[in-house]
Amino acid sequence: MIDDDDSIYHRIFSHPEMVADLLRNFLEPNLLTELDLSHMRRMNTKFTARTGQRRRGDVVWEIPTCAGSSVFLILILEFQSDIDEWMVLRLDVYVGLLYQQLVDERKLKPADGLPPVLPIVLYNGEKPRWNAATSLRDLIRLPAGSPLWQYQPEMRYYVIDEGKFPDEDLKGRWSLTAVFFRIQHPATPASVLDASRDLVVWFDRHPDGPPVKRLFRELLVVALERVKNNNPRPPVPVELEEVVIMLTNYIDQWEKDIEQRGILIGEKNGEKNGILKGEMRTLLLQIQRRFGPVPEWVHARLASANLETLDMWTENILDAISLEDVFRGRDRQ
């Protein structure tokens, strides 16, 4: 069974090694200095509001600090094509629910204080790039200098926008997460193939790496479904290396199909443009013969017309008394 991207994302980032790889390669280095990524632990969050609504789509990790305390990483896996403009408000609610859970389960007292959080949004959409407010205060409508600012909530999150990283940038990061991003956001069909081959090399060099090879195999099967263009294909092999070989054959065919479609479209557009220019020249000669020198506005009208409109004007010229009569009726563009 081929799982969708959402399921693969959740399962890949349920492994602490993958989360650590994501943070090491895509988080600001100064944010990592106090964190011990080798001993992070996933937290079983309830994230249920008092209304009974279940909060889903998020992963929380407790990460020890070098000082002996903990930071709670809230990792939001965002798959929507439309950007959530209220993400910072959603995260503000999540943090409140997380803190309430920690207070209740760990019997925290005010003297204990609350642990710090690190909210991160991992966005896998294509376009536009993530542009929502990352600070809650950016959404609060108060004039600068208002005394009410001191009572307003503060919330901020960090964004990792997968699609903004150029392929060459990702290639320069010898990271399993970077290969994952390259497969998810290929610049060309060949980019998927390059990334899949690098994936095989990575697992060869890291035999004791995170147990996610099977998940990457499923990811490439999803890629196969995207590129096979409804053509029948044999059953997908079990081994990742064999899937890459199959992907090689289908991507070669995909690139040939794209090239052929481009040639056909170019030929059709060229043929259509040739007919359009021919009818335009014919009508222009008829106008010159009937009405003499052609004013600039006529050239502009002819240049903006389609075939249907030119046909209509060609019929009009048969009984037109004035130049304006030629262009009577609605322009169809």
Side-chain angles (χ1 to χ4, degrees):
M1 177 180 179
I2 297 173
D3 290 331
D4 58 19
D5 285 357
D6 294 20
S7 171
I8 292 175
Y9 265 84
H10 280 94
R11 288 185 293 150
I12 280 180
F13 289 106
S14 68
H15 292 274
E17 300 95 336
M18 289 301 301
V19 178
D21 186 78
L22 173 73
L23 298 181
R24 289 192 184 102
N25 288 279
F26 295 95
L27 198 65
E28 292 179 4
N30 63 314
L31 295 175
L32 297 172
T33 54
E34 299 180 6
L35 305 183
D36 179 7
L37 299 180
S38 61
H39 292 89
M40 65 171 62
R41 182 177 67 88
R42 186 170 181 179
M43 183 178 177
N44 182 22
T45 55
K46 297 182 175 63
F47 278 16
T48 303
R50 295 184 184 277
T51 60
Q53 181 183 5
R54 177 72 173 171
R55 309 283 180 171
R56 300 182 64 85
D58 316 299
V59 185
V60 177
W61 293 87
E62 182 175 2
I63 305 176
T65 68
C66 299
S69 58
S70 292
V71 170
F72 286 85
L73 166 69
I74 302 178
L75 182 60
I76 305 290
L77 305 176
E78 188 68 8
F79 306 104
Q80 301 180 87
S81 56
D82 296 329
I83 294 173
D84 185 353
E85 300 289 349
W86 296 104
M87 175 59 73
V88 67
L89 180 60
R90 173 178 155 192
L91 270 164
D92 192 44
V93 173
Y94 282 12
V95 170
L97 292 169
L98 174 62
Y99 276 149
Q100 189 61 58
Q101 181 176 338
L102 291 172
V103 168
D104 294 343
E105 292 184 353
R106 304 191 180 189
K107 310 299 181 186
L108 297 180
K109 297 178 175 56
D112 299 322
L114 294 171
V117 295
L118 176 57
I120 296 179
V121 173
L122 178 59
Y123 175 60
N124 83 330
E126 293 299 334
K127 291 183 179 180
R129 302 271 51 88
W130 189 269
N131 56 12
T134 57
S135 169
L136 186 58
R137 292 203 165 196
D138 290 341
L139 297 178
I140 298 174
R141 294 296 173 257
L142 266 181
S146 169
L148 291 175
W149 274 118
Q150 61 184 315
Y151 300 108
Q152 303 313 302
E154 293 188 54
M155 180 67 210
R156 184 178 294 276
Y157 63 90
Y158 189 92
V159 181
I160 300 176
D161 184 350
E162 298 175 17
K164 81 171 186 178
F165 298 100
D167 197 55
E168 288 303 317
D169 180 348
L170 294 174
K171 284 182 180 180
R173 308 179 190 217
W174 191 236
S175 151
L176 197 52
T177 304
V179 177
F180 178 60
F181 289 176
R182 288 167 59 196
I183 295 172
Q184 289 296 91
H185 304 271
T188 65
S191 300
V192 179
L193 187 56
D194 288 343
S196 66
R197 288 168 175 164
D198 287 346
L199 188 64
V200 171
V201 173
W202 195 96
F203 281 115
D204 284 344
R205 295 181 180 178
H206 300 83
D208 298 324
V212 292
K213 189 174 182 179
R214 179 177 60 84
L215 295 179
F216 275 90
R217 180 256 182 200
E218 292 182 21
L219 186 69
L220 292 183
V221 171
V222 173
L224 265 176
E225 289 296 319
R226 291 171 179 163
V227 304
K228 70 184 182 70
N229 294 327
N230 297 319
N231 295 320
R233 58 169 171 75
V236 178
V238 174
E239 297 300 324
L240 173 67
E241 292 79 4
E242 294 176 356
V243 175
V244 173
I245 294 172
M246 178 179 284
L247 190 63
T248 301
N249 298 330
Y250 276 91
I251 285 184
D252 286 345
Q253 185 59 49
W254 187 24
E255 289 185 319
K256 290 176 182 176
D257 290 345
I258 290 174
E259 181 180 359
Q260 185 61 35
R261 286 198 299 271
I263 292 173
L264 291 175
I265 291 171
E267 289 176 349
K268 288 181 179 179
N269 287 341
E271 180 180 350
K272 183 178 179 181
N273 288 334
I275 295 172
L276 187 67
K277 290 179 180 178
E279 291 208 12
M280 190 185 304
R281 284 196 298 268
T282 299
L283 181 55
L284 185 60
L285 288 172
Q286 291 176 331
I287 291 173
Q288 287 174 329
R289 183 172 297 179
R290 285 285 307 276
F291 302 104
V294 181
E296 189 60 37
W297 65 268
V298 171
H299 287 284
R301 294 288 292 277
L302 293 176
S304 64
N306 58 22
L307 282 173
E308 186 180 5
T309 302
L310 288 173
D311 287 342
M312 180 181 65
W313 292 341
T314 301
E315 291 180 7
N316 288 347
I317 201 171
L318 296 176
D319 56 1
I321 298 174
S322 67
L323 185 56
E324 286 74 15
D325 288 342
V326 176
F327 300 96
R328 69 177 180 267
R330 180 173 60 86
D331 293 3
R332 299 184 183 93
Q333 299 178 26

